[in-house]
């Protein structure tokens, strides 16, 4: 746990990226009851569940993972979750970018059923051809193109946040080279779109786990967040928790990052305030 050495600007009091055991990649202990205890322990005011989803209306690019992780499965939570102890609880989903339809694999009709929609453009280990890993410019361009298509697809108006932006999951050479490869102008173009459309940028706390207070300011992802803030983007915090251990140093790292970037309540997306 970090020792606070700064004057606190804003308390981190929400998490809008939580997976339950309905997500195939989550632990069986990732239940509503488990997250109730976490929320109480960390003094959250709002939490949002966002299990993985691929709408059955679209052919699955990655059937071995998404088969069965459909709207009906995610909606099972609706009868389970509820507000508790002054904590507001929201039902969302993490709907996938689909390169075949050049948008998000979720129909508008089904998008309307959720309180919020998270969308990643960085699950490149599943949705990107493997030959795009080299040279890295092709990998970077794939994500930038995905971003542009997500920002201009039929369900754009329902999207609340882009989660773990440009942080390529399971990347064989790590995420730092890709963050460094994206230019300031490319970031600005992407984040200007998000700001214009009112789509928040997730500060995914997984970027900072097992990092020291001295290491965090020098991480490449910090440059990205600074540019997003300069572009007028709003932010939302997410743990991307898949179960036990998913909130390690969540609040302490969050407070450090908000102070470092100068993020205040005015910079938080309205639905997360």
């Amino acid at each position: 746990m970090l020792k606070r050495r700064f004057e606190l600007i804003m308390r981190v009091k929400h998490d809008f990226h939580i997976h339950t055991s309905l997500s195939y990649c989550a632990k069986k202990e990732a239940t509503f009851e488990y997250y109730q205890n976490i929320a109480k322990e960390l003094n959250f005011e709002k939490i949002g569940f966002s299990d993985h989803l691929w709408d059955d209306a679209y052919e699955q690019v990655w059937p071995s993972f998404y088969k069965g992780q459909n709207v009906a499965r995610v909606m099972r939570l609706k009868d389970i979750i509820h507000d508790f102890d002054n904590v507001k609880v929201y039902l969302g989903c993490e709907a996938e970018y689909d390169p075949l339809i050049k948008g998000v694999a979720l129909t508008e009709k089904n998008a309307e059923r959720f309180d919020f929609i998270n969308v990643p453009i960085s699950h490149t280990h599943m949705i990107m051809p493997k030959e795009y890993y080299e040279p890295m410019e092709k990998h970077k361009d794939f994500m930038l193109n995905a971003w542009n298509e997500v920002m201009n697809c039929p369900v754009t108006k329902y999207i609340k946040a882009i989660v773990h932006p440009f942080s390529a999951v399971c990347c064989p050479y790590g995420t730092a080279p890709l963050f460094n490869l994206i230019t300031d102008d490319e970031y600005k173009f992407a984040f200007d779109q998000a700001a214009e459309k009112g789509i928040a940028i997730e500060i995914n706390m997984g970027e900072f786990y097992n990092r020291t207070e001295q290491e965090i300011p020098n991480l490449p992802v910090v440059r990205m967040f600074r540019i997003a803030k300069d572009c007028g983007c709003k932010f939302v915090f997410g743990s991307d928790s898949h179960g036990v251990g998913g909130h390690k140093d969540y609040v302490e790292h969050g407070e450090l990052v908000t102070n470092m970037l100068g993020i205040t309540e005015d910079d938080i997306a309205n639905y997360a305030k």
Side-chain angles (χ1 to χ4, degrees):
M1 182 176 294
L2 295 174
K3 293 183 179 179
R4 188 184 297 155
R5 298 186 181 91
F6 47 82
E7 182 180 352
L8 183 61
I9 293 178
M10 187 193 73
R11 181 171 69 86
V12 178
K13 53 190 178 183
H14 68 261
D15 182 355
F16 272 88
H17 192 165
I18 296 173
H19 292 274
T20 72
S21 55
L22 290 176
S23 292
Y24 292 163
C25 50
K27 298 178 175 65
K28 65 179 181 180
E29 296 87 356
T31 64
F32 175 55
E33 291 75 17
Y34 169 77
Y35 288 117
Q36 278 184 294
N37 292 329
I38 292 292
K40 293 174 185 177
E41 178 184 340
L42 298 181
N43 295 313
F44 286 152
E45 294 180 4
K46 295 182 176 182
I47 58 173
F49 291 91
S50 57
D51 283 305
H52 292 293
L53 180 149
W54 193 289
D55 199 315
D56 285 338
Y58 300 103
E59 179 184 354
Q60 294 180 22
V61 174
W62 194 260
S64 62
F65 178 73
Y66 279 110
K67 186 177 182 180
Q69 293 194 103
N70 52 21
V71 174
R73 181 178 177 87
V74 176
M75 289 299 294
R76 291 183 199 172
L77 275 180
K78 189 168 185 178
D79 295 329
I80 297 172
I81 63 175
H82 54 80
D83 298 344
F84 61 93
D85 295 345
N86 297 317
V87 178
K88 294 288 292 181
V89 179
Y90 299 82
L91 175 61
C93 66
E94 185 172 0
E96 186 63 79
Y97 163 68
D98 181 355
L100 296 182
I101 65 171
K102 302 182 184 301
V104 180
L106 180 65
T107 64
E108 292 185 73
K109 181 179 180 180
N110 281 326
E112 292 177 348
R113 301 173 66 183
F114 293 95
D115 297 324
F116 68 98
I117 308 292
N118 286 338
V119 174
I121 51 89
S122 50
H123 283 161
T124 53
H125 64 310
M126 295 194 294
I127 58 174
M128 184 183 77
K130 295 297 180 281
E131 58 266 28
Y132 280 41
Y133 278 123
E134 297 289 350
M136 279 189 281
E137 283 78 4
K138 293 177 69 174
H139 194 168
K140 175 199 76 168
D141 290 342
F142 180 90
M143 289 193 291
L144 288 169
N145 181 66
W147 184 288
N148 185 61
E149 291 182 344
V150 166
M151 291 291 158
N152 295 280
C153 73
V155 298
T156 299
K157 61 187 176 183
Y158 300 100
I159 299 171
K160 291 293 189 181
I162 302 295
V163 294
H164 40 74
F166 300 108
S167 184
V169 177
C170 298
C171 181
Y173 36 73
T175 58
L178 288 168
F179 283 130
N180 289 329
L181 195 60
I182 301 172
T183 68
D184 287 3
D185 285 343
E186 287 171 330
Y187 275 138
K188 288 175 183 175
F189 182 79
F191 292 132
D192 280 343
Q193 287 181 298
E196 179 185 354
K197 296 179 184 295
I199 296 175
I201 305 304
E202 181 194 56
I203 298 179
N204 189 295
M205 298 312 298
E207 301 288 348
F208 308 106
Y209 292 157
N210 299 319
R211 300 287 189 172
T212 67
E213 187 175 347
Q214 291 72 37
E215 290 175 317
I216 288 176
N218 299 314
L219 295 176
V221 70
V222 173
R223 173 175 70 97
M224 180 186 73
F225 288 137
R226 290 191 190 281
I227 294 172
K229 187 174 186 298
D230 288 343
C231 290
C233 289
K234 301 297 184 182
F235 295 96
V236 62
F237 285 89
S239 65
D240 202 359
S241 176
H242 286 62
V244 177
H247 285 89
K248 183 177 182 294
D249 294 334
Y250 183 92
V251 171
E252 290 84 356
H253 281 107
E255 291 174 351
L256 174 62
V257 171
T258 57
N259 274 59
M260 185 175 59
L261 298 175
I263 293 175
T264 68
E265 285 285 347
D266 290 339
D267 299 305
I268 301 299
N270 286 333
Y271 70 96
K273 289 182 178 178

